[in-house]
Amino acid sequence: MTRVLLTTTLLATTILAFAGLPAFADDAALQKEAAGYFKPIPSMVPAVKDNAVTRDKVELGKMLFFDPRLSASQLISCNTCHNLSMGGDDNLETSIGHGWAKGPRNAPTVLNAVFNIAQFWDGRAGDLKTQAKGPIQAGVEMNNTPKVVEETLKSIPDYVGKFKAAFPNEAEPVTFDNLARAIEAFEATLITPGSRFDQFLEGKLDALNATEKTGLKLFMDKGCVACHSGVNVGGEAYFPFGVVEKPGADILPANDRGRFEVTKTADADYVFRAGPLRNIALSAPYFHSGKVWDLKQAVAIMATSQLGAKLSDKEIEAITAFLGTLTGEQPRVELPVLPVSTDKTPLPK
Amino acid sequence: MTRVLLTTTLLATTILAFAGLPAFADDAALQKEAAGYFKPIPSMVPAVKDNAVTRDKVELGKMLFFDPRLSASQLISCNTCHNLSMGGDDNLETSIGHGWAKGPRNAPTVLNAVFNIAQFWDGRAGDLKTQAKGPIQAGVEMNNTPKVVEETLKSIPDYVGKFKAAFPNEAEPVTFDNLARAIEAFEATLITPGSRFDQFLEGKLDALNATEKTGLKLFMDKGCVACHSGVNVGGEAYFPFGVVEKPGADILPANDRGRFEVTKTADADYVFRAGPLRNIALSAPYFHSGKVWDLKQAVAIMATSQLGAKLSDKEIEAITAFLGTLTGEQPRVELPVLPVSTDKTPLPK
């Protein structure tokens, strides 16, 4: 059996080589070059700074992630905009929040977010526990306050018990800060290892097809890797949108100056965190404005605006095919059964 | 060991009898009386009329149940208002839908809905497959059309494959009707066996405590069972809200005439399907108007309006305690990973 399989593999390799597709030696070189730029998503949950990822914390964090009672309306949960059924985002231009308000920017995916240098398009939250507090309080998102959230959690005995278990050495464990820590711990588990690209990086040279390999080569040679590298193929540093040529105002609206709002320095004008490209095929529409639905179009825009390069249709298709190999195994999540409200729980608004 | 346990049980029974609480013989009589009115939730998924509950259909139905692309905004799924984390409803007075519109009635739980005589508060849908088509098209709910839903599903190859598997003998399986059949099949699996009340019904006489047994007895003796009986402890027939005395307009708004809108006959004025009381402790607020958050208050209102009875606080507490024993094992649902949209998928509106 083993011998038959080996023979078939050799035969296939030979046929591929004769067909003019990349041969084994080139593949090894490509893999080596790629391994210099990228790292695979680990198969284990990563450690999180100042927040040990314990089982109790993850369990609590999962409940909170799915609990709409974190929002003033008690309709919107973290999962509403970071839908774990749909690549960890909402697949909308910009999110719909409290009162049907539309948010200013496209919701980034929560998947692998733990590997980003910082959170939000402008990196204004240094980590996921800081990020988690933002949407809960944003008027156009969950429109709630830490005080009401704490009142809500304290009114539900099961939650009080879960907080005690997750933060065992604290006298008053039910706090907004601990809620954020628990959500961060759960989100650290939302990683997607095993993509075909990661298999290739780890030495399975036939994990990508010829077009995808061409796309990977172009991605490195054309300079995409200057911003999109590392474990998340992006998400590691900040760059102006429109290094070479600013895209149209529909895609880069003038009134959203990006990281400028965080640093108030001129060099941060229209600067954004480079988009992490893991699972990018699952998270249309693209860019902070969410105005581009077609990944091929997004690639073309990036080429002209960031690299000053006009790519051919074939090149765009190859790069897009490569990006498709960044889709990893999606997290398997059993929906939590949430504890019931009591007569002390604040009512929805 | 067995002998020790028996001795302990006898001793406990003796003590309980001396304390003036129901003795074993009474419990058996109570169980027998209850078994004449109620039936346990079966532990197996029930058969559904004209819709075989197959594995493929259930899998597809689960995907559809969680897919926000059934709504025009692509934000609202069945699970938004029938949240399986929260007793199968949204725990809001009335649901929030497209454009933040508030619906006219409280969302009923999807749990055990398969056992109801018909669906909706006014029974206007004869079964779950008919029901499923309503909210998708309602302007204040998902605000979509069958045409756009079919276009959406047909644009996603994975869905086309799943429909073919679920409806293997059909030339054109991707239809709005088959979507409804698949959702109905999934919903038939959303049953909650194993409640303490069902354990009691099945002969475990210590599954209820003394207060709960008193509540059960009162529930039968006071006449609640006239409307609330059968497997769902309600949901089996239609009755006027306010048989004896109409509750206030806040609880029974004059402009919602209930089943009258369905039958257009005078005898259906302010008539509603008796609320199924399974998992009632999980699904506040109560009544079709959703105006009552406290289950004890709901019990008191039912007593005066339907039975002309003024219950004592102790009686109300006992009946409420009994209702708490109707909470069954909540379904364990792994969140589906939904297939990605394509360039042919209609955009959100």
Side-chain angles (χ1 to χ4, degrees):
Chain A
M1 186 63 185
T2 309
R3 201 158 14 166
V4 175
L5 277 175
L6 272 175
T7 312
T8 313
T9 309
L10 280 170
L11 191 66
T13 310
T14 315
I15 290 167
L16 284 169
F18 271 113
L21 293 171
F24 196 85
D26 291 349
D27 288 353
L30 183 69
Q31 188 271 343
K32 201 175 164 193
E33 189 184 352
Y37 288 118
F38 309 105
K39 278 185 198 150
I41 302 278
S43 56
M44 303 277 283
V45 173
V48 174
K49 193 165 170 281
D50 299 330
N51 190 14
V53 181
T54 64
R55 241 176 247 266
D56 285 326
K57 227 184 267 175
V58 169
E59 188 190 330
L60 171 61
K62 183 170 96 165
M63 293 166 71
L64 295 167
F65 188 88
F66 281 95
D67 200 326
R69 289 170 296 188
L70 301 195
S71 64
S73 66
Q74 304 196 5
L75 180 70
I76 302 171
S77 71
C78 304
N79 193 65
T80 302
C81 300
H82 300 288
N83 193 331
L84 300 182
S85 288
M86 304 183 77
D89 74 339
D90 54 12
N91 295 171
L92 300 177
E93 274 188 21
T94 64
S95 296
I96 296 174
H98 191 87
W100 211 253
K102 300 222 169 169
R105 291 184 188 146
N106 181 263
T109 179
V110 68
L111 302 179
N112 308 304
V114 65
F115 302 120
N116 291 331
I117 184 172
Q119 304 302 326
F120 294 118
W121 280 95
D122 52 18
R124 68 183 180 277
D127 52 32
L128 285 165
K129 59 182 148 304
T130 309
Q131 190 281 331
K133 297 182 198 172
I136 296 175
Q137 299 177 77
V140 298
E141 298 184 57
M142 295 163 89
N143 195 35
N144 214 343
T145 65
K147 186 169 169 285
V148 171
V149 169
E150 287 177 359
E151 264 176 49
T152 300
L153 297 169
K154 285 178 184 170
S155 74
I156 300 169
D158 267 20
Y159 263 131
V160 175
K162 299 274 183 195
F163 271 88
K164 276 185 189 158
F167 302 95
N169 301 318
E170 302 189 16
E172 290 280 348
V174 188
T175 65
F176 195 57
D177 279 347
N178 280 345
L179 161 141
R181 285 188 190 98
I183 291 175
E184 177 177 62
F186 171 60
E187 289 180 340
T189 71
L190 301 177
I191 60 176
T192 65
S195 72
R196 288 197 290 115
F197 177 58
D198 283 351
Q199 293 176 40
F200 178 81
L201 272 186
E202 286 169 334
K204 190 169 184 298
L205 298 182
D206 60 353
L208 305 189
N209 68 27
T211 307
E212 292 156 355
K213 284 172 186 164
T214 302
L216 166 59
K217 186 84 179 114
L218 286 165
F219 193 85
M220 295 187 291
D221 290 355
K222 294 283 179 182
C224 310
V225 281
C227 302
H228 297 282
S229 61
V231 64
N232 263 0
V233 194
E236 290 202 322
Y238 304 96
F239 303 94
F241 192 176
V243 177
V244 178
E245 183 187 324
K246 283 227 180 316
D250 51 332
I251 289 164
L252 180 63
N255 61 355
D256 183 352
R257 295 171 68 181
R259 199 161 161 74
F260 174 83
E261 305 296 345
V262 181
T263 64
K264 302 289 179 189
T265 55
D267 63 352
D269 222 10
Y270 299 104
V271 162
F272 294 88
R273 193 191 59 188
L277 301 185
R278 290 283 178 181
N279 303 292
I280 193 71
L282 306 182
S283 65
Y286 301 110
F287 302 131
H288 66 286
S289 56
K291 287 291 179 190
V292 175
W293 285 85
D294 179 7
L295 186 51
K296 290 204 285 288
Q297 193 193 342
V299 169
I301 289 169
M302 279 283 105
T304 52
S305 67
Q306 306 304 95
L307 304 168
K310 175 113 183 65
L311 299 180
S312 73
D313 286 353
K314 283 232 154 183
E315 287 172 327
I316 290 170
E317 262 161 44
I319 290 175
T320 305
F322 157 63
L323 294 177
T325 70
L326 298 175
T327 301
E329 284 171 20
Q330 300 300 293
R332 301 211 153 231
V333 177
E334 190 182 276
L335 213 59
V337 174
L338 298 176
V340 69
S341 295
T342 66
D343 55 5
K344 293 192 182 61
T345 309
L347 293 181
K349 275 181 205 145
Chain B
M1 184 67 186
T2 309
R3 203 164 3 171
V4 174
L5 274 176
L6 271 174
T7 311
T8 313
T9 308
L10 279 169
L11 190 67
T13 310
T14 313
I15 290 168
L16 283 170
F18 272 111
L21 293 170
F24 196 84
D26 291 348
D27 288 353
L30 184 69
Q31 189 271 343
K32 202 175 163 191
E33 190 184 351
Y37 289 118
F38 310 105
K39 277 185 197 150
I41 302 279
S43 56
M44 303 277 284
V45 173
V48 174
K49 191 162 173 283
D50 298 333
N51 191 14
V53 180
T54 63
R55 241 177 248 267
D56 285 326
K57 228 185 265 174
V58 169
E59 187 190 331
L60 171 61
K62 183 169 96 165
M63 293 166 71
L64 295 167
F65 188 87
F66 281 95
D67 200 326
R69 289 170 296 189
L70 301 194
S71 65
S73 66
Q74 303 195 8
L75 181 70
I76 302 170
S77 71
C78 304
N79 192 66
T80 302
C81 300
H82 300 288
N83 192 332
L84 300 182
S85 289
M86 305 184 76
D89 73 339
D90 54 13
N91 296 170
L92 300 178
E93 275 188 21
T94 65
S95 296
I96 296 173
H98 192 87
W100 211 253
K102 300 223 169 169
R105 292 184 188 147
N106 181 263
T109 180
V110 68
L111 301 180
N112 308 305
V114 66
F115 302 120
N116 292 331
I117 186 173
Q119 304 302 325
F120 294 116
W121 280 96
D122 53 17
R124 69 184 181 276
D127 52 31
L128 285 165
K129 58 182 150 303
T130 309
Q131 189 281 332
K133 297 182 198 173
I136 296 175
Q137 299 178 77
V140 298
E141 298 184 57
M142 295 163 87
N143 195 33
N144 214 343
T145 65
K147 185 168 169 286
V148 170
V149 170
E150 288 178 359
E151 265 175 49
T152 299
L153 297 170
K154 284 177 184 170
S155 74
I156 300 169
D158 267 18
Y159 263 131
V160 175
K162 299 275 182 194
F163 271 88
K164 276 185 189 158
F167 302 97
N169 301 318
E170 303 188 18
E172 290 280 351
V174 189
T175 66
F176 194 57
D177 281 347
N178 280 346
L179 162 142
R181 284 187 190 99
I183 291 176
E184 178 178 62
F186 171 60
E187 290 180 341
T189 70
L190 301 177
I191 60 176
T192 66
S195 72
R196 288 197 291 117
F197 177 59
D198 284 351
Q199 293 176 41
F200 178 82
L201 272 185
E202 287 170 336
K204 191 170 182 300
L205 298 182
D206 61 353
L208 305 189
N209 68 28
T211 308
E212 292 157 353
K213 283 171 186 164
T214 303
L216 166 59
K217 187 83 178 113
L218 286 165
F219 193 85
M220 295 187 293
D221 290 355
K222 295 283 178 183
C224 310
V225 280
C227 302
H228 297 283
S229 61
V231 64
N232 264 359
V233 193
E236 288 200 325
Y238 305 95
F239 302 95
F241 192 175
V243 176
V244 178
E245 182 189 323
K246 283 228 181 314
D250 50 334
I251 290 163
L252 182 63
N255 62 356
D256 183 351
R257 296 172 65 181
R259 200 162 160 75
F260 175 83
E261 305 297 343
V262 182
T263 63
K264 301 288 178 194
T265 55
D267 63 351
D269 221 11
Y270 299 103
V271 162
F272 295 88
R273 191 191 61 188
L277 300 185
R278 290 283 180 182
N279 303 292
I280 192 71
L282 306 183
S283 65
Y286 301 110
F287 302 132
H288 66 286
S289 56
K291 287 289 180 193
V292 175
W293 285 85
D294 180 6
L295 185 52
K296 289 202 287 284
Q297 192 192 344
V299 169
I301 290 168
M302 280 282 103
T304 52
S305 67
Q306 306 303 97
L307 303 169
K310 176 113 182 61
L311 299 181
S312 72
D313 286 354
K314 283 232 156 185
E315 288 172 327
I316 290 171
E317 261 161 44
I319 290 175
T320 305
F322 157 63
L323 294 176
T325 72
L326 298 175
T327 301
E329 283 170 21
Q330 301 300 294
R332 302 212 152 229
V333 177
E334 189 182 278
L335 212 60
V337 174
L338 298 174
V340 69
S341 295
T342 67
D343 56 3
K344 292 190 182 62
T345 308
L347 293 182
K349 274 179 206 148

